[in-house]
Structures are given as C-alpha cells and as structure tokens.
Amino acid sequence: MSRRQRKAEAAKQGKRMVFILFIIALVGAITAYQYIGTIVKRDPVTACRIDKLVSRETVVVIDVTDNFNETRSSKNKERNGREC
C-alpha cells in the first residue's frame, strides 16, 4: 500500500469516526430533550407537584431496619402495655 493510499484510508476512517460520534451525540441530545420534558415541577418546600395532579402510583415505605433502643421500647411498653 502506498503512502497516498494510506493517507486516503486514514482520511476515510476519520470521516467515519466523526459521523459515528455525530450520530451518538444526536441520539443523546434527543434522549435528553425527551427526559427533560417529563420532569415534574415540584414545590421546593413541600416537594408536592405544582400542577396539583395526583399520580396513580402510591408508595408506602416502612423502615424496619432499626429496632427501638431500650429506653424507647420501655416507653412504648408503658403507653401501650405491650412491646414493639
């Protein structure tokens, strides 16, 4: 392969790389635009939706990873008559 052919091949490869990077950037920009359009605006204090729309999904999180300490457990026992 001559020097001229190697230079031409390198130029073609560079053009291919630029084209591939352009396509990746374009897909990324379209994805970001669609994602930004779906962000729900919320009140900074209450974290409630500003548009007052109530979503259909409800999540209840119960944290049972930390047991009560001895003092808190005895106070609950006094109040409720049973242990938590």
Side-chain angles (χ1 to χ4, degrees), residues 12-39:
K12 284 182 185 177
Q13 187 174 6
K15 288 179 183 178
R16 280 187 230 134
M17 291 297 291
V18 169
F19 180 73
I20 290 171
L21 289 175
F22 175 76
I23 296 296
I24 291 172
L26 184 64
V27 169
I30 291 170
T31 303
Y33 178 75
Q34 289 177 344
Y35 174 74
I36 289 171
T38 61
I39 293 176

